[in-house]
């Protein structure tokens, strides 16, 4: 089992990157708010939509309405798949998959994690400890009561898309959204919403580019802007927990599929984009892409270290954008 722990540790390091637990201080001042026009979202309640309906929807208002709905959910339940090699993603080769549930009231965290290869071992995070399952031996091993991989503060990277969170109050969500709109101008850039049908149901497909922004110190900042805004809520990112995927100045190209009735995301694909140097030119990036399928209403998955586990698997088709 030592080999399993080593492999898992290496993958965790690759996935976490240089996410900003402590990069909290802003280096520049405010900007004009960019809230969009929420009144354009009223058409989404009509029932079956057509292209004309969606064409009139303000993409910025749609993004922030969905973002707020997501971050106020008390429980997040997702199935995810990540890639750290572009060739593997392009060739649809097995990545790493996990099913995770996080209750923001009790701080209970469950996660079943491993390679998409059915012959690979699985790890179950439960109550801060880890349980390992061997497919070849068809058995669970004795739990390790404490495991750094399964610490609560690590959960942020596995319970949402690595950009958002859950468990905020309405007031805290309003604060986070307001700061993103007014203090982080140029970072969040929603494109045009389009109508899409997946598994016989209508969704709004929304592409959002999170672009690094040059600050007063001459440095381009990316994911840190999410942390700066999150800090304004007054929540502690280690105990909530919250952080962002990637390193200093990382941007993101994200595809959201949003349920027009609940305004919750059903599925997202998040790909990191390169940090920028002082001249605004892309640096050599480390590839990282994650697919996230949300399960609503959010409830804990009830994972247990007994019997033969079901390998986490996404049912949502890849967008490929």
């Amino acid at each position: 089992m030592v080999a399993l722990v080593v492999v898992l540790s290496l993958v965790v390091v690759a996935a976490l990157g240089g996410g900003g637990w402590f990069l909290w201080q802003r280096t520049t001042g405010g900007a004009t708010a960019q809230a969009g026009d929420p009144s354009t979202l009223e058409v989404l309640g009509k029932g079956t939509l057509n292209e004309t309906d969606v064409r009139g929807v303000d993409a910025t208002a749609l993004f922030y309405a969905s973002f707020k709905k997501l971050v106020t959910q008390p429980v997040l339940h997702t199935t995810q798949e990540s890639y750290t090699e572009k060739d593997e993603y392009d060739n649809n080769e097995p990545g790493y998959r996990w099913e995770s549930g996080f209750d923001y009231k009790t701080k209970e965290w469950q996660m079943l994690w491993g390679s998409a290869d059915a012959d690979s071992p699985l790890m179950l995070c439960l109550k801060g400890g880890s349980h390992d399952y061997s497919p070849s031996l068809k058995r669970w091993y004795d739990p390790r009561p404490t495991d750094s991989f399964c610490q609560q503060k690590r959960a942020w990277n596995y319970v949402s898309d690595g950009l958002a969170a859950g468990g905020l109050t309405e007031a805290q969500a309003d604060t986070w959204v307001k700061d993103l709109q007014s203090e982080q101008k140029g970072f969040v850039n929603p494109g045009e919403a389009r109508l899409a049908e997946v598994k016989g149901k209508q969704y709004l497909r929304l592409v959002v580019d999170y672009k690094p922004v040059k600050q007063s110190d001459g440095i381009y900042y990316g994911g840190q802007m999410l942390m700066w805004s999150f800090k304004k809520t007054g929540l502690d990112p280690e105990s909530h927990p919250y952080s962002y995927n990637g390193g200093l100045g990382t941007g993101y190209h994200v595809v959201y599929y949003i349920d027009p009735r609940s305004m919750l995301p059903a599925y997202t694909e998040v790909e990191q984009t390169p940090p920028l140097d002082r001249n605004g030119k892309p640096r050599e990036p480390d590839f990282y892409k994650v697919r996230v399928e949300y399960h609503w209403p959010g409830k804990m998955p009830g994972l247990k270290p007994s019997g033969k586990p079901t390998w986490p698997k996404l049912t949502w088709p890849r967008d490929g954008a």
Side-chain angles (χ1 to χ4, degrees):
M1 296 309 297
V2 174
L4 168 63
V5 175
V6 171
V7 171
L8 293 177
S9 299
L10 290 173
V11 176
V12 171
V13 170
L16 295 183
W21 283 106
F22 302 110
L23 265 168
W24 277 12
Q25 301 303 317
R26 281 200 47 79
T27 58
T28 188
T32 302
Q34 294 180 317
D37 183 0
S39 68
T40 65
L41 305 182
E42 295 175 2
V43 70
L44 302 181
K46 64 170 281 188
T48 303
L49 303 172
N50 57 47
E51 295 290 350
T52 302
D53 296 328
V54 176
R55 197 174 299 122
V57 169
D58 187 301
T60 299
L62 174 64
F63 168 75
Y64 283 112
S66 181
F67 182 85
K68 181 179 175 180
K69 194 67 181 290
L70 173 62
V71 303
T72 53
Q73 295 303 303
V75 177
L76 294 183
H77 177 195
T78 65
T79 303
Q80 303 193 37
E81 180 177 55
S82 69
Y83 288 86
T84 55
E85 298 291 336
K86 189 175 187 307
D87 288 346
E88 291 181 354
Y89 176 80
D90 291 341
N91 296 328
N92 200 19
E93 297 176 7
Y96 283 86
R97 293 178 184 166
W98 58 93
E99 181 179 7
S100 179
F102 194 91
D103 187 323
Y104 286 90
K105 291 183 179 179
T106 64
K107 298 302 174 69
E108 179 187 0
W109 180 34
Q110 300 175 6
M111 181 175 70
L112 185 64
W113 187 94
S115 169
D117 185 345
D119 294 328
S120 297
L122 289 174
M123 172 187 281
L124 172 61
C125 289
L126 200 63
K127 298 181 179 179
S130 61
H131 306 254
D132 300 318
Y133 178 80
S134 169
S136 59
L137 298 177
K138 296 180 175 59
R139 58 162 291 189
W140 289 93
Y141 286 86
D142 292 337
R144 296 190 297 277
T146 58
D147 189 311
S148 60
F149 183 86
C150 294
Q151 290 179 2
Q152 177 187 299
K153 67 180 181 180
R154 300 284 192 188
W156 67 267
N157 194 50
Y158 304 99
V159 299
S160 74
D161 57 9
L163 304 179
L168 277 70
T169 65
E170 292 286 332
Q172 290 166 339
D174 285 337
T175 297
W176 196 358
V177 167
K178 182 179 178 181
D179 194 80
L180 283 172
Q181 292 172 343
S182 62
E183 298 295 318
Q184 319 300 342
K185 186 177 180 182
F187 178 53
V188 182
N189 301 273
E192 181 182 1
R194 296 183 179 180
L195 195 60
E197 184 173 311
V198 180
K199 296 186 285 187
K201 186 176 179 179
Q202 285 190 327
Y203 294 91
L204 300 177
R205 181 182 181 274
L206 182 67
V207 177
V208 179
D209 286 300
Y210 296 74
K211 297 180 180 180
V213 178
K214 190 174 185 178
Q215 304 292 325
S216 59
D217 59 2
I219 297 175
Y220 283 84
Y221 290 90
Q224 301 94 320
M225 301 175 83
L226 288 165
M227 178 62 81
W228 292 332
S229 290
F230 180 82
K231 182 195 173 185
K232 298 294 181 66
T233 67
L235 293 168
D236 180 351
E238 285 209 53
S239 61
H240 187 67
Y242 175 73
S243 192
Y244 57 90
N245 282 325
L248 303 181
T250 300
Y252 311 93
H253 178 75
V254 186
V255 181
Y256 294 91
Y257 282 80
I258 300 169
D259 183 330
R261 291 160 187 79
S262 70
M263 297 302 291
L264 286 165
Y267 173 78
T268 60
E269 288 192 11
V270 180
E271 182 172 339
Q272 293 180 7
T273 60
L276 306 179
D277 63 22
R278 286 180 175 268
N279 296 317
K281 294 183 178 180
R283 297 177 179 174
E284 186 68 25
D286 291 323
F287 183 82
Y288 182 72
K289 186 159 187 168
V290 62
R291 302 173 59 217
V292 184
E293 183 172 349
Y294 291 90
H295 306 291
W296 305 116
K299 59 183 180 180
M300 298 301 288
L303 301 171
K304 296 179 180 180
S306 61
K308 181 180 179 181
T310 300
W311 261 247
K313 184 177 181 180
L314 280 74
T315 64
W316 202 277
R318 291 163 49 131
D319 182 89

